[in-house]
Amino acid sequence: MKILVPVTEVATVDDEFEIEGTAIAEQYLGADLNEWDEYAIEEAVQLQEAGVADEVITVTIGPEECEQTIRQALAKGADRAVRIWDDALEGIDLLGVEAKAALLSAVVEDEDPDLVLTGVQAGDGAFGATGVSLASTVGYEWAAVVNHLEHDLEDGVASVRRELEGGVEELTDVELPAVLTIQTGINEPRYASLRGIRQAQRKELEVLGLADLGVDESAIGAAISLTDMYEPESESDATVWEGSAEETAGQLAELLREKGVAQ
Amino acid sequence: MTDVLAVAEHRRGDLRDVSYELVTAGRQLANETGGDLHLAVISGTVEDFAEKLNRDGVDTIHTVTDGEEFNHGVYTQTVAQLADSLDPQYVLIPNSVNGLDYAPAVATGLERPLVTDTIDLETDGETLTATREMYGGKVETTTELEGPAVVTTRGGEWPKAEGTGDAAIESFEPEIDEAALGATVTGFEEVGSGDVDISDAEVLVSVGRGIDEEENLEIIHDLADALDATVSSSRPIVDNGWLPKNRQVGQSGKVVTPDVYIAIGISGAVQHVAGMKGSETIVAINTDPNAPIMDIADYAITDDLFDVVPSLTEAFR
């Protein structure tokens, strides 16, 4: 069984930052492997360790700078990686869900995986739609927001739990091939070992452009454009206590006593 | 193409609040496009649901009797067929776990762009301006897209529609391709029961990502002991296995309404706030003065929790 794991590098933002135009100024940004995708990788690697999967491949849409993040995924146990990039993607400030699905579906068609595991959402854009969009583009079955996956995958069926709102889980059987979007907490993502990090440097990382994928430039055209970015107006009318930790803790203690706490 | 089609959501026999919010959002968009507001209610006791959803501003409610509970295949096929027949400018779907399980497929099928998790919408009939958050709520953005679209709306952002409407209620019979339904719901399970019910607690000491390490939870337990309070947490603490699921406050955890909620090292993501905003008094201890939790806190300390918490515990010993 082959598992494809679409992973993304997300931008992280410092507590204090400035906005320039429709983006956060670069000096306040960091980069990291998307948190949700870490759980997807872990799930795939565990399926490999359980003898269910033969190969785990990651695919990432992103420029060369994100190769360090891709190597993180390889260091955690993925076998090889595909990176999609093209000059045509360079100037797009917000890549639409449809565009991502078009690019990733070309890789799914090439690789023909039995299972695609990806994070529920990306921590920066937070559209939460790429997985299901990909599934419906390639004609795979799917389940969104999966927080448990039975590893036997008997008879080509994935038995999953989907985490609904309000502490309710839905039990669902999904026919393979399928895309599952993975929720945090499904497992405990491992840290990459030193050996894993060394090995990751030698693993294959293939770079594909639009022509390689047979995707027309019109498929990635921006249906949606970012027109403004601003800090949300603070609605805070909180009483903020000032002073040393001892002083502020003292003020809070006083409030709690007034409220009858611990009496 | 001026109409709006909104899809209601229900679970285990009850309409979810977001369905009524969708009526408000849908009516507002339909006013702006000069069209009608259509609702679709799919599966379950649809007649009963239709009656409840018949509120001010709804023009037509389409009831579809297929199935009891949510099945994404049935929803995807039905909404696509309804959209083909009604040709609405916008299809509105709740940005819920189930909404996200079929809205992208509807968009793909209709070859329309998708914008999710919107918190405000405006249109001149052609250009849709959608407001969304990015980077975990640190910024808001406006995005624009032209022409027809599929849109999901975040719960709690629009008021629930009130009043009694005079909508036409019409039965719609989609052609469901059973062979294409490759996912089957086999049951539901309540999770998070256990020794303690945090929804009963009067005082909650709630801990989030800011605690950094599992060992550090000790200072939280110490504080809870001193205050005779109950320990709860935000999602990452439970994801890490540091506290059991029955301690999780939020959209996918429990809704709590204590007299005092002390949020320690919790930034206040919208999913968390959904579970605790009904607390009588909210105190936040966080190093980031701009954290979203500050917007709903009544009292705040912007300082290191590792200095403040032991000091507070000391004050009660």
Side-chain angles (χ1 to χ4, degrees), chain B residues 41-59:
Chain B
V41 55
I42 306 167
S43 306
T45 53
V46 289
E47 297 299 325
D48 174 44
F49 293 149
E51 202 175 307
K52 291 186 171 129
L53 287 165
N54 194 352
R55 299 203 169 179
D56 265 348
V58 183
D59 294 296

Side-chain angles (χ1 to χ4, degrees), chain B residues 42 63-66 74 77-79 81-82 172-176:
Chain B
I42 306 167
T63 58
V64 181
T65 53
D66 295 67
V74 171
Q77 293 183 33
T78 302
V79 176
Q81 288 171 35
L82 260 175
F172 181 77
E173 290 178 15
E175 285 173 30
I176 301 294

Side-chain angles (χ1 to χ4, degrees), chain A residues 127 142 165-166 171 184 225 257, chain B residues 11 101 116 186 239 251 315:
Chain A
F127 272 82
W142 72 85
E165 295 86 355
L171 284 63
T184 59
S225 55
R257 285 202 176 94
Chain B
R11 191 193 301 155
D101 196 49
T116 62
T186 58
D239 279 350
Q251 210 163 63

Side-chain angles (χ1 to χ4, degrees), chain A residues 128-197:
Chain A
T130 304
V132 175
S133 189
L134 170 63
S136 58
T137 303
V138 295
Y140 276 30
E141 251 308 319
W142 72 85
V145 193
V146 168
N147 70 350
H148 181 78
L149 166 65
E150 290 294 336
H151 280 194
D152 52 8
L153 302 177
E154 245 173 62
D155 305 324
V157 171
S159 295
V160 305
R161 282 169 180 256
R162 298 181 54 234
E163 182 193 74
L164 305 181
E165 295 86 355
V168 177
E169 292 184 351
E170 179 197 277
L171 284 63
T172 299
D173 284 345
V174 187
E175 286 173 14
L176 301 187
V179 179
L180 307 179
T181 75
I182 301 296
Q183 175 64 304
T184 59
I186 188 174
N187 52 42
E188 200 175 324
R190 70 194 64 195
Y191 290 102
S193 64
L194 277 174
R195 186 163 162 264
I197 292 166

